[in-house]
Amino acid sequence: MMPPLPADGSSRERSVRGRFGNFFRNQASKIREINEKYAVPRVHTGRGVGIALLVLRVYLIVLLGLIAVKFITLLH
Amino acid sequence: MNIVSRFYYKARRTMKAIALYLMISGPGIIVMVADNDAGGITTYAATGARYGYGLLWFLILLGPIAYFVQEMTVRLGAVTKRGHAEAIFDAFGPFWGWFSLLDLVVTDWLTLITEFIGMTAALSIFRIPPAVTVLAVCAFMGIMVLRGRYWTWEKLAILLCAANLIYVPAALYVHPDVHAVLRGSVIPGFPGGFTPTLFFFLMANIGTTIAPWMVFFQQSSVVDKGMQEKDIIWGKIDTAVGALFTVLVAFFVIVLTGTLLKGMNIESAQQAAEMLMPQSRFLGSVLAIGLFNAGFLGAICISLASSWAFGEVFGWAHSLNNKVREAPWFYAFYFLLILSAGGIVLIPGAPLVLITLFVQVVATTLLPAALVFLIILLNDEGIMGKYRNTFFQNVINIGIVGAVIVLSTLFGISSLFPNLFPVT
């Protein structure tokens, strides 16, 4: 069996990069796992609730859009 | 003999009830008093300076409103044993789950920055450099979570809540006109008519009384404390006491500035403290210390709300009862939040005023989402069983949510586009 190579600068860099890569890969798979776990909503949305949530989506998109526009305007 | 034994039995039962309440109390009081954070104290100080005692009645009305909203989180937490973020994932699926989580983290982080702005501004009155304040606050916040358990953290937080009452003796010290205070408290009115400026102040007061992070914080706190269905009644009392405290503190801040600074246009509590210094060094110092305490209390709660929520969703160990090696991600996230928020305040030329404005707007804009989910969850029999909202609770809560949605939308739009509703 080969003895481990002494860690020089570049191998240390590769190992740090590898750890970061692993971390993000783990998080990405964790997010996929969460999405699968909660894929089926537990609350059965009737017509009223469905409409309320749709209105909420539109409301948030419009207002968040306005905030973004304002922020960009102020930055300029 | 019969009377004596009956009296003894009743006294023992009362003492037991008080002991049980003291054991279970905490989340409600902390969340309500922490709601009077740096931004809250600034809003109340400015309201008192601008309108004197004229809006005290409105503030008193906000107490029950805050109670009805927060009481729902007690039931939801005790029944589902889940924090709010996880409950939304479970009930509404990944889209709304991620939306709520990101909404919470963004608004929490921005609000945390404003807490640091408040704390550094308060201590700058005593010539303490912002860097020292930020470092000391981060260190103390670290010690609070690392050295103890949930119980220790909670009792320290309650101590800070008690310190918030510093405004009560300060307001009594200036000998306010009791008749005018009582009149302002019970007779509704709009001083100077219903102008856009008045509307702005009313909205700012609502915005400081109900905030999205409070919903997440109290539910997670109830779960971390391990409250059961049988404890719901105590959780409700705890929340009611907290609502009383929050109104009490806000009331006396308004009385203080309404007595000494009436008719003045102030933009921050720091400015109010500086204006009070020439009149009374004691009162100026009290306002500054109170502002620091409010910012600190807000910071310790807000940073935990996000860490809890992330822990719940990602499945990390996420209790203050866990050691660092048992819950490394929970603590790492906590420290990332506080260090990054504190660091922003120290950046020379950072747009702190712009951040403060956007915090208010983003928080009020996202508030309806949090409240709508709360109402839907509390009406689901499959989730809540016999603890679901009653007809009476629905009438009140849907009324509150409807009003908040309309008013917060108008507030958000008027803050973003002031020319639409010119503020005089």
Side-chain angles (χ1 to χ4, degrees):
Chain A
M1 195 176 150
M2 287 267 291
L5 291 170
D8 60 1
S10 61
S11 68
R12 218 176 4 244
E13 197 180 300
R14 269 200 300 275
S15 130
V16 170
R17 213 181 300 158
R19 276 187 191 182
F20 267 102
N22 271 344
F23 173 78
F24 285 112
R25 264 192 298 278
N26 285 344
Q27 294 316 306
S29 67
K30 185 80 195 169
I31 288 169
R32 272 195 299 275
E33 195 184 298
I34 292 167
N35 287 343
E36 281 165 21
K37 183 178 170 189
Y38 298 110
V40 183
R42 191 168 160 195
V43 165
H44 300 291
T45 47
R47 180 182 276 255
V49 175
I51 290 170
L53 291 179
L54 186 70
V55 170
L56 189 64
R57 264 186 212 223
V58 175
Y59 167 88
L60 290 168
I61 288 167
V62 170
L63 272 185
L64 289 178
L66 282 175
I67 291 174
V69 168
K70 182 71 179 184
F71 191 72
I72 291 164
T73 315
L74 284 174
L75 278 184
H76 282 288
Chain B
M1 184 64 193
N2 198 17
I3 294 170
V4 173
S5 61
R6 220 182 294 165
F7 176 77
Y8 172 76
Y9 173 71
K10 273 193 179 168
R12 242 186 89 142
R13 210 167 57 167
T14 311
M15 290 307 289
K16 263 189 181 173
I18 292 172
L20 191 62
Y21 168 71
L22 289 176
M23 217 157 66
I24 289 168
S25 69
I29 292 178
I30 293 168
V31 77
M32 288 291 191
V33 181
D35 179 38
N36 286 342
D37 59 354
I41 298 295
T42 294
T43 305
Y44 306 136
T47 305
R50 181 104 190 184
Y51 295 107
Y53 313 137
L55 291 180
L56 283 174
W57 64 272
F58 183 73
L59 205 81
I60 293 170
L61 261 184
L62 290 177
I65 290 177
Y67 166 77
F68 277 110
V69 171
Q70 289 303 125
E71 173 272 333
M72 288 194 279
T73 65
V74 176
R75 277 186 283 145
L76 194 54
V79 171
T80 62
K81 314 282 183 294
R82 284 176 164 172
H84 198 63
E86 201 184 350
I88 290 179
F89 264 96
D90 186 43
F92 301 103
F95 174 81
W96 286 115
W98 288 117
F99 177 85
S100 301
L101 193 63
L102 291 177
D103 154 11
L104 175 76
V105 173
V106 171
T107 50
D108 273 7
W109 189 69
L110 290 172
T111 313
L112 203 52
I113 295 173
T114 65
E115 306 300 357
F116 274 103
I117 294 172
M119 286 187 280
T120 50
L123 292 194
S124 70
I125 289 174
F126 304 111
R127 300 207 169 83
I128 296 175
V132 174
T133 307
V134 169
L135 284 176
V137 164
C138 289
F140 195 73
M141 283 174 74
I143 292 167
M144 263 184 95
V145 296
L146 294 177
R147 297 286 302 166
R149 298 162 57 81
Y150 175 84
W151 192 91
T152 326
W153 178 90
E154 188 184 88
K155 298 311 162 207
L156 276 170
I158 286 181
L159 206 66
L160 292 168
C161 291
N164 221 328
L165 292 171
I166 194 169
Y167 292 111
V168 179
L172 296 176
Y173 179 78
V174 299
H175 300 295
D177 178 352
V178 178
H179 274 102
V181 170
L182 286 176
R183 206 171 37 248
S185 307
V186 294
I187 302 173
F190 299 108
F194 198 83
T195 60
T197 311
L198 182 80
F199 174 70
F200 185 85
F201 272 89
L202 295 180
M203 280 298 88
N205 278 286
I206 292 178
T208 56
T209 310
I210 313 167
W213 71 265
M214 293 169 67
V215 171
F216 287 83
F217 175 87
Q218 192 168 2
Q219 194 172 329
S220 296
S221 184
V222 160
V223 175
D224 206 353
K225 200 172 169 119
M227 277 172 73
Q228 309 290 320
E229 280 97 328
K230 65 180 167 51
D231 304 324
I232 286 176
I233 181 66
W234 299 107
K236 284 182 177 189
I237 294 172
D238 182 41
T239 309
V241 172
L244 192 72
F245 264 80
T246 197
V247 170
L248 200 71
V249 170
F251 185 92
F252 281 100
V253 175
I254 290 184
V255 170
L256 178 64
T257 56
T259 306
L260 295 179
L261 303 173
K262 193 184 173 189
M264 292 185 188
N265 199 6
I266 60 164
E267 288 177 353
S268 67
Q270 179 206 4
Q271 192 191 350
E274 281 167 347
M275 286 166 84
L276 284 177
M277 280 292 189
Q279 296 183 50
S280 163
R281 199 168 162 72
F282 164 70
L283 290 173
S285 303
V286 163
L287 198 60
I289 292 167
L291 176 64
F292 174 81
N293 181 61
F296 189 71
L297 189 57
I300 61 169
C301 294
I302 289 165
S303 46
L304 264 185
S306 288
S307 309
W308 266 327
F310 251 81
E312 286 156 14
V313 174
F314 277 81
W316 308 330
H318 56 273
S319 170
L320 286 174
N321 293 325
N322 291 125
K323 299 267 179 238
V324 178
R325 62 174 181 280
E326 294 164 347
W329 290 112
F330 171 68
Y331 288 106
F333 194 80
Y334 176 83
F335 281 105
L336 181 73
L337 271 182
I338 60 171
L339 290 173
S340 58
I344 294 284
V345 180
L346 298 180
I347 296 173
L352 300 181
V353 176
L354 188 66
I355 290 172
T356 309
L357 169 77
F358 268 82
V359 168
Q360 285 181 346
V361 176
V362 171
T364 46
T365 305
L366 297 174
L367 179 61
L371 297 183
V372 165
F373 291 133
L374 201 56
I375 295 274
I376 297 174
L377 283 167
L378 266 289
N379 274 290
D380 192 285
E381 200 166 4
I383 294 172
M384 294 303 296
K386 65 174 181 174
Y387 296 99
R388 62 184 286 207
N389 270 0
T390 60
F391 177 74
F392 171 71
Q393 284 167 329
N394 269 335
V395 168
I396 291 188
N397 288 321
I398 292 172
I400 290 171
V401 171
V404 167
I405 288 175
V406 172
L407 295 173
S408 65
T409 308
L410 286 172
F411 178 64
I413 292 173
S414 65
S415 304
L416 288 170
F417 305 99
N419 293 335
L420 281 178
F421 311 100
V423 174
T424 51

